[in-house]
Amino acid sequence: MTIIDAIKSLKPNAEWVVRGDYTYENLEWLDKSQTKPTKAELEAEVTRLQTEYDNNAYQRSRLMEYPSWGIQLDYIYHNGIEKWKTDIVDPVKAKYPKP
């Protein structure tokens, strides 16, 4: 996560530009209708966003493990919902449990 992600999260419609490296010192605030977040606010938001991202690693892992929707729907059609749950969904959830 970067300060860019933090700005987009805290001030989604603000106008700003970063000139050079993505650092607070290079952040030029163009939006006169909103106050520029402090460096501490942006750092705290970067930390919050990173924690949220890290805590959802299991979701990204599950997404990569499941077959495509077409394959899953075909499996449901031929085998039913309960069989789909036990054969496809449950093994992936067991492999990548929620924290």
Side-chain angles (χ1 to χ4, degrees):
M1 297 296 144
T2 67
I3 66 164
I4 305 305
D5 300 308
I7 294 168
K8 289 178 180 179
S9 175
L10 293 172
K11 308 278 186 168
N13 298 316
E15 296 179 20
W16 49 271
V17 65
V18 175
R19 300 197 189 279
D21 295 336
Y22 293 135
T23 64
Y24 186 80
E25 293 71 29
N26 292 333
L27 173 61
E28 183 180 335
W29 200 254
L30 305 174
D31 197 329
K32 305 300 180 202
S33 67
Q34 298 186 54
T35 58
K36 179 180 177 180
T38 66
K39 185 175 184 178
E41 289 172 330
L42 290 179
E43 288 172 350
E45 186 64 6
V46 166
T47 299
R48 187 193 72 77
L49 291 170
Q50 187 64 53
T51 299
E52 182 179 297
Y53 179 83
D54 293 345
N55 288 343
N56 293 323
Y58 76 97
Q59 291 176 339
R60 292 186 301 280
S61 296
R62 285 180 181 180
L63 183 62
M64 299 304 293
E65 191 84 15
Y66 287 125
S68 71
W69 281 108
I71 290 171
Q72 291 187 59
L73 290 172
D74 187 61
Y75 196 90
I76 291 169
Y77 178 80
H78 291 288
N79 302 291
I81 296 270
E82 292 306 314
K83 190 87 168 126
W84 166 75
K85 286 180 187 177
T86 59
D87 292 354
I88 294 178
V89 176
D90 291 344
V92 174
K93 285 187 172 190
K95 186 174 180 180
Y96 303 105
K98 271 186 183 180

